[in-house]
Amino acid sequence: EVKLVQSGGGSVQGGGSLTLSCIPSRFTFDDTDVGWYRQAPGNECELVARIDSDGTTSYADSVKGRFTASHDAAKRTVYLQMNSLKPEDTAVYYCATYLPVFFPTSAMCPTDAGYWGEGSQVTVST
């Protein structure tokens, strides 16, 4: 079974940091792009970060300068380092790959396309 295994997340006070990890079960991220999505209750699923196979990264304006996506090829792992966390960052975060298109928003995630992690809860308190 192909899947993405996530770890990290948890609860932190505002201004704190957390790191999410995502590792594929039967392939590597060397030749595919990876997106980090999040969905908070009552909100759309939104793309917050993306790292392409060539290492190029892009970020939503809401997290730019605070979040960093990276890929450690030796560990076959993609990370999302989240600093200066705010209460509005509270959401379930998903890594995703092999998507036909990295949609900026969607009503729900995960979707039927591509491969998705199981989700990691991130809770930021005031």
Side-chain angles (χ1 to χ4, degrees), residues 23-69:
I23 184 168
S25 62
R26 291 194 172 190
F27 57 92
T28 70
F29 289 133
D30 293 351
D31 301 313
T32 184
D33 306 334
V34 181
W36 287 97
Y37 285 86
R38 69 183 180 187
Q39 187 161 30
N43 289 2
E44 288 187 314
C45 174
E46 63 171 333
L47 177 65
V48 296
R50 172 178 169 172
I51 180 165
D52 292 346
S53 57
D54 64 358
T56 302
T57 55
S58 57
Y59 302 94
D61 288 342
S62 59
V63 307
K64 200 170 293 183
R66 300 188 298 120
F67 288 16
T68 302

Side-chain angles (χ1 to χ4, degrees), residues 44-119:
E44 288 187 314
C45 174
E46 63 171 333
L47 177 65
V48 296
R50 172 178 169 172
I51 180 165
D52 292 346
S53 57
D54 64 358
T56 302
T57 55
S58 57
Y59 302 94
D61 288 342
S62 59
V63 307
K64 200 170 293 183
R66 300 188 298 120
F67 288 16
T68 302
S70 62
H71 175 212
D72 185 332
K75 295 183 178 180
R76 297 173 54 241
T77 302
V78 163
Y79 301 95
L80 185 66
Q81 174 69 41
M82 304 181 291
N83 298 327
S84 302
L85 282 162
K86 305 174 181 180
E88 51 264 43
D89 295 319
T90 295
V92 178
Y93 285 72
Y94 300 89
C95 59
T97 192
Y98 284 108
L99 299 180
V101 60
F102 281 87
F103 54 87
T105 61
S106 177
M108 290 290 295
C109 56
T111 68
D112 291 336
Y115 300 116
W116 292 74
E118 70 272 30

